[in-house]
Amino acid sequence: TAALIKKAQETLVANDLGGYTVPTHGLYPFQWNWDSAITALGWKHFDEPRAWQEIEVLFDGQWDNGMVPHILFHQDSTTYFPGPDIWGSDKRVKSTSISQPPVVATVMKDMLDTADDKAFALSKVESLFSSLVDYHLWWYKERDPLNTGLVVSYHPWESGMDNSPAWDEALHDVPCVDWEYERRDLGHVNSAQRPHKSEYDRFLFLVDFFKKHKFDSEVIFNECPYKVNDIGIISILHRGSKDILALGETLGIKDERLDIIAQRIALTESAINTLWCPEAEYFYCRNVLTDTLCKVRTSAGMLTVFAGLADAKQKDILNSKAKQWNEASQYCMASTHPEESRYEPQRYWRGPIWLHINWMIALGFEAEGYQQTADKLRNDCRALVDLSGYYEYFNPETGEGCGGKDFSWTAAIALHWLL
Ligand code: DGY
């Protein structure tokens, strides 16, 4: 264990570019939103000021409308595509024009609750709190302007689960980009572990679409050819909003914007069952443009327990399903259920295990009293890092490490949860 702790700390230090941590060198040479938040959880265990700095640098890239972008291009790099020129970034800190699952609120609450230096942590939360509230309000206002209770995502990259089978149909309806490009990811990672060209063609069409419409939120909301209610984003946002209210209480902050967040929380709670499929007894994503549920079981549906969105009966059902799911492969939890026809054990978000997702799922089950399920997830994650080290993701059949190696969020989750 001591050697693994040392290695995890060294991984974060080696990926530190001065105030922010790259997920891994080469493949992802910038600051990613949810990677950074998760990585701060790792820094917290050996350098609290550095953990808070990670969050501060992330918010330094916040747009005036409140959005915290999915990638901040703090410096140039030739090892990544598509870079800031393709995105058409016109901000002080160059960035993409979409966001990523807002796990940062939950991370900040954890960092305050467990801080060694409470006064320092409190001062950091105080100075970041207003920006954090703006970020959540951005999600609600811009991604759910009709007050349905369920925000939409405009891009698979926004979900962080890029090529999840949950949006195969929705993505298929997006046109392909009509210019040639050279992918850089395939220079770092075996193509069998990455998305297909047919997906990249559509990812890039959407990037062009946002640029063409000058990031105008109204036009994009009305015309975007891809709109998905992603159960992962919805759950992480919901949990984060509740954590914001708790932080507000701790800080004794009275702010009308917190009332809006409370209203949005209630709205989501009243809408969530439209994503519950009674036949399958599972939470799915919805293609908003065709109003159809994407009926493939991905682990994102389990995040409803972490969010507190599943009711008592649903929690029991999800726990039984998790048990069966976890038995269906050597290691758990596969990001797509191993019995789905679309399951691919080594292709990015179509089957591999991601440690930060397991951590959130386990946290949810543990808090609700399903300790066995939480323990199984944790034990398997520990076995994976013992076997393969700090890879980006893992093959659930063999435990083989896939994608980028010496990966920040995997090392961070090891420090935070496993070691
Ligand atoms: C990539 O480039 O693969 C990233 O997942 C985009 O966020």
Side-chain angles (χ1 to χ4, degrees):
T1 301
L4 273 177
I5 293 178
K6 185 161 171 282
K7 173 74 183 142
Q9 293 183 352
E10 283 168 2
T11 301
L12 298 195
V13 170
N15 289 343
D16 182 4
L17 286 199
Y20 70 97
T21 317
V22 298
T24 184
H25 288 291
L27 181 62
Y28 305 125
F30 310 108
Q31 186 177 25
W32 262 257
N33 180 331
W34 72 330
D35 287 80
S36 222
I38 298 285
T39 299
L41 284 178
W43 280 112
K44 176 193 83 170
H45 288 267
F46 64 109
D47 189 342
E48 286 184 4
R50 179 60 188 77
W52 285 104
Q53 190 184 21
E54 187 80 28
I55 309 287
E56 286 171 331
V57 175
L58 179 63
F59 275 99
D60 193 38
Q62 184 168 33
W63 285 20
D64 290 343
N65 66 3
M67 184 180 79
V68 179
H70 120 273
I71 307 176
L72 298 178
F73 301 109
H74 291 291
Q75 84 297 306
D76 294 337
S77 169
T78 54
T79 66
Y80 185 79
F81 174 87
D85 44 337
I86 304 286
W87 284 91
S89 172
D90 59 357
K91 302 286 183 269
R92 180 179 54 84
V93 180
K94 291 184 188 158
S95 74
T96 60
S97 57
I98 53 173
S99 193
Q100 242 184 348
V103 69
V104 65
T106 299
V107 165
M108 284 169 63
K109 179 167 184 301
D110 177 286
M111 280 166 49
L112 176 64
D113 290 347
T114 61
D116 283 335
D117 188 343
K118 272 272 189 281
F120 178 76
L122 259 179
S123 74
K124 292 295 171 187
V125 176
E126 264 164 9
S127 71
L128 288 163
F129 189 72
S130 186
S131 309
L132 180 64
V133 172
D134 283 342
Y135 179 35
H136 276 238
L137 288 178
W138 169 83
W139 273 106
Y140 293 123
K141 279 195 231 143
E142 301 235 342
R143 297 311 176 82
D144 183 21
L146 305 177
N147 292 306
T148 66
L150 303 174
V151 296
V152 297
S153 134
Y154 291 157
H155 199 299
W157 282 340
E158 192 158 67
S159 73
M161 305 182 186
D162 306 9
N163 63 339
S164 165
W167 33 83
D168 281 357
E169 285 79 12
L171 189 63
H172 185 263
D173 290 344
V174 173
C176 291
V177 81
D178 59 3
W179 41 269
E180 294 295 315
Y181 58 92
E182 189 196 332
R183 283 173 63 175
R184 304 270 157 76
D185 57 322
L186 302 182
H188 307 288
V189 174
N190 176 348
S191 62
Q193 299 176 5
R194 292 287 303 174
H196 292 285
K197 174 172 163 34
S198 57
E199 287 150 342
Y200 257 77
D201 284 348
R202 293 169 168 94
F203 294 163
L204 290 167
F205 179 92
L206 290 167
V207 170
D208 266 356
F209 175 84
F210 307 138
K211 182 165 63 171
K212 187 171 104 201
H213 292 293
K214 303 195 166 49
F215 319 123
D216 182 320
S217 46
E218 228 180 286
V219 177
I220 293 171
F221 183 77
N222 290 327
E223 293 178 23
C224 189
Y226 175 94
K227 273 201 221 174
V228 168
N229 291 138
D230 167 18
I231 193 71
I233 290 181
I234 289 167
S235 297
I236 291 170
L237 175 71
H238 192 76
R239 167 68 188 248
S241 288
K242 293 200 285 189
D243 288 333
I244 287 179
L245 294 190
L247 285 173
E249 292 252 321
T250 307
L251 265 50
I253 288 181
K254 294 265 168 292
D255 182 336
E256 281 173 9
R257 294 176 306 158
L258 295 181
D259 299 336
I260 303 179
I261 291 199
Q263 287 159 14
R264 291 292 191 150
I265 287 174
L267 211 51
T268 303
E269 283 166 0
S270 64
I272 198 68
N273 278 333
T274 62
L275 299 182
W276 175 259
C277 171
E279 294 81 50
E281 300 192 295
Y282 201 62
F283 283 108
Y284 288 130
C285 299
R286 178 198 283 120
N287 180 349
V288 175
L289 296 177
T290 57
D291 193 19
T292 38
L293 290 182
C294 324
K295 295 192 177 176
V296 46
R297 286 163 296 167
T298 67
S299 60
M302 296 288 174
L303 292 172
T304 49
V305 180
F306 166 76
L309 280 168
D311 66 25
K313 187 157 166 259
Q314 288 166 336
K315 275 186 290 205
D316 268 345
I317 294 172
L318 291 176
N319 182 53
S320 321
K321 286 200 186 294
K323 281 198 173 145
Q324 189 272 340
W325 192 314
N326 291 344
E327 295 298 314
S329 56
Q330 183 68 28
Y331 299 91
C332 75
M333 170 178 255
S335 50
T336 299
H337 194 296
E339 285 153 16
E340 292 284 351
S341 59
R342 299 180 189 182
Y343 166 73
E344 292 180 73
Q346 59 165 343
R347 195 178 292 284
Y348 212 37
W349 286 93
R350 301 182 78 86
I353 297 164
W354 297 76
L355 260 51
H356 67 300
I357 300 291
N358 272 6
W359 167 68
M360 287 187 271
I361 294 173
L363 211 62
F365 280 119
E366 183 166 44
E368 300 297 335
Y370 301 98
Q371 192 62 44
Q372 262 189 1
T373 305
D375 288 346
K376 165 77 176 150
L377 287 159
R378 186 167 178 274
N379 292 340
D380 275 25
C381 287
R382 175 62 205 255
L384 287 169
V385 303
D386 280 342
L387 180 73
S388 300
Y390 301 131
Y391 268 86
E392 183 178 5
Y393 44 97
F394 300 87
N395 181 326
E397 310 298 336
T398 62
E400 184 201 350
C402 303
K405 67 188 220 318
D406 301 326
F407 214 85
S408 295
W409 67 14
T410 309
I413 289 293
L415 287 170
H416 184 60
W417 185 46
L418 301 179
L419 303 173

